[in-house]
Amino acid sequence: MTIRKIIHIDMDAFFAAIEQRDNPALRGKAIAVGHDGPRGVVATASYEARQFGVHSALSARAAKQRCPGLIFIPARMEVYKEVSRQIRAIFQEYTELVEPLSIDEAFLDVTHLPCATQAAKEIKEKIFQTTGLTASAGVSINKMLAKIASDYQKPNGLFVITPKQAAPFAAKLPVEKFFGIGHVTAQKMHRLGIYTGADLRQKTEAELVRLFGKAGRAYFGYARGQDPREVQPSRQRLSCGAENTFDADTSDLNRLLEELKKAAHQAWVRTRRAGFLGKTVTLKLKYADFQQITRSQTFAAHLTSEDSFYQAGRQLLQKTDFKTKPVRLIGLTLSRPPAPPKDDRQLQFDF
Ligand code: TTP
Ligand code: MG
């Protein structure tokens, strides 16, 4: 059986870190992102504010009591979403198997890579170079342990739980750290004298199922450092493009280039919004007689600018019959090949 390599990435104090990045006057200060009103709540707090006990979901009122100098900043969701798209584009450079959990965290299955720890290190660096923000990474053999690992050395952490360490690590964990064990279940476990993974291991699977229902089976695995849940990629987009039909058919090169530029721009804006990366450019033409043709070119690397995208379309236009056949529609698309099939043959495990 293949041992999986899972990375969990979680940005540090996400909304607050972005506000401190964009306004140097806020750096080093106790800030909260959220609405400062009678019914306001804290979305997140800078690490400086956390020292005073300010955290997500705390009321603005309570937050200011705990931290008198606290600076409230209104949320700028569009900015946070854009950063979220940037980090997802970085994840996609490493694997198609990316499961976003929230705006600032995701699981990545990198079983196909030679070294998961190296990939995690690179991803952290790329995130910092691209966004100016720090992330914490956890690396392990499954989702549960990878998520616990990313939290272990926050902020700016990188923590690895190797295949050998998985079971002993889980044995030491307090039960509330396990996936899906909330406050109520933890209380019930405590009443039964179960405080850690090691305590959980004393119970048989049948006993756990009797006590906790179907979830008991999962707890049985968690206590041993096992978690069979797969990384579920968000449905992958394979292409991103734009096309327009003209008011009048044309064979005029300048007119066609103008339309091509427009389509390239529309398509490029879409790719940026979706965090989409692709190496293949496809030009589509529909001639006046409704015959439709496509011409494609695949590059060695992802396209990185609107101009290179447009220039590729321009080259492709030369390979068509536009001079002799008037054109009624032009489109330009960036695409990527579907994910390769998973390789189950890996035997060696290098973390
Ligand atoms: P988290 O990753 O839970 O928190 P965080 O990134 O601010 O801090 P940490 O370093 O501990 O990871 O959530 C990501 C963002 O989601 C957070 O910056 C703000 C938003 N959020 C809310 O709006 N409300 C909430 O209750 C939580 C938990 C998060
Ligand atoms: Mg976070």
Side-chain angles (χ1 to χ4, degrees):
M1 203 186 76
T2 312
I3 298 178
R4 289 178 298 156
K5 302 177 191 175
I6 310 295
I7 299 176
H8 180 257
I9 302 275
D10 187 324
M11 301 296 290
D12 302 320
F14 190 49
F15 295 1
I18 291 174
E19 295 306 331
Q20 288 181 324
R21 175 193 73 176
D22 293 349
N23 182 353
L26 299 176
R27 291 181 198 159
K29 302 244 169 79
I31 72 162
V33 174
H35 175 60
D36 181 15
R39 300 166 64 83
V41 282
V42 174
T44 196
S46 64
Y47 276 80
E48 294 84 354
R50 290 182 195 197
Q51 289 175 354
F52 294 86
V54 180
H55 57 75
S56 296
L58 190 68
S59 73
R61 219 182 105 113
K64 281 186 291 189
Q65 269 165 6
R66 289 183 186 187
C67 180
L70 187 65
I71 303 167
F72 263 85
I73 309 288
R76 294 183 298 154
M77 276 319 285
E78 280 313 311
V79 180
Y80 312 150
K81 281 189 199 157
E82 176 55 28
V83 177
S84 185
R85 282 188 282 266
Q86 287 178 309
I87 63 172
R88 276 182 207 175
I90 293 170
F91 302 156
Q92 299 285 352
E93 290 177 32
Y94 288 80
T95 175
E96 293 277 330
L97 296 175
V98 177
E99 179 180 338
L101 286 184
S102 74
I103 192 165
D104 84 326
E105 61 180 310
F107 286 118
L108 285 67
D109 186 324
V110 294
T111 308
H112 60 290
L113 295 180
C115 180
T117 307
Q118 177 60 25
K121 219 184 252 171
E122 285 177 25
I123 290 169
K124 273 167 56 71
E125 281 165 14
K126 280 193 188 179
I127 288 177
F128 189 72
Q129 282 162 10
T130 310
T131 69
L133 301 166
T134 62
S136 294
V139 181
S140 196
I141 55 172
N142 57 46
K143 288 201 212 180
M144 176 193 65
L145 291 175
K147 189 160 160 73
I148 290 168
S150 75
D151 204 39
Y152 213 70
Q153 289 185 339
K154 238 179 190 309
N156 202 9
L158 171 61
F159 191 73
V160 182
I161 303 171
T162 64
K164 251 196 197 144
Q165 291 162 344
F169 192 92
K172 288 202 199 100
L173 278 178
V175 288
E176 44 271 55
K177 289 273 183 191
F178 290 114
F179 177 80
I181 300 188
H183 184 68
V184 175
T185 308
Q187 292 295 314
K188 182 169 173 183
M189 287 188 178
H190 293 170
R191 283 197 299 276
L192 293 162
I194 304 169
Y195 290 89
T196 64
D199 297 336
L200 255 185
R201 284 181 77 148
Q202 301 305 311
K203 305 281 179 203
T204 65
E205 190 169 353
E207 273 178 290
L208 290 176
V209 170
R210 190 174 50 76
L211 288 166
F212 302 102
K214 251 202 278 180
R217 199 163 296 141
Y219 301 159
F220 184 81
Y222 295 164
R224 289 158 179 77
Q226 297 162 3
D227 175 7
R229 290 174 304 146
E230 304 230 337
V231 171
Q232 306 273 357
S234 56
R235 234 165 43 120
Q236 274 310 304
R237 181 194 267 281
L238 295 177
S239 71
C240 204
E243 61 181 46
N244 296 305
T245 304
F246 315 149
D247 297 334
D249 304 343
T250 181
S251 277
D252 177 55
L253 178 61
N254 285 333
R255 180 81 190 90
L256 285 169
L257 289 179
E258 204 178 291
E259 288 293 342
L260 179 67
K261 196 159 222 163
K262 198 168 96 187
H265 178 70
Q266 290 166 341
W268 192 258
V269 168
R270 281 179 200 163
T271 67
R272 291 305 88 211
R273 257 189 224 140
F276 181 82
L277 293 169
K279 297 176 186 171
T280 301
V281 179
T282 302
L283 174 80
K284 171 174 157 186
L285 289 191
K286 205 183 267 180
Y287 295 119
D289 63 3
F290 282 84
Q291 184 202 358
Q292 189 175 298
I293 58 132
T294 58
R295 296 286 179 272
S296 296
Q297 189 184 355
T298 298
F299 295 86
H302 293 128
L303 276 87
T304 53
S305 73
E306 181 177 327
D307 189 56
S308 59
F309 181 50
Y310 164 70
Q311 294 301 341
R314 198 179 157 141
Q315 297 294 320
L316 291 167
L317 184 63
Q318 296 302 331
K319 298 184 182 170
T320 70
D321 300 325
F322 76 89
K323 284 176 194 149
T324 50
K325 299 173 103 182
V327 177
R328 58 176 284 119
L329 170 149
I330 195 164
L332 200 62
T333 300
L334 186 64
S335 61
R336 64 160 159 231
K342 273 198 242 169
D343 185 359
D344 291 333
R345 290 161 305 166
Q346 176 198 331
L347 296 170
Q348 196 194 340
F349 192 75
D350 188 3
F351 235 69

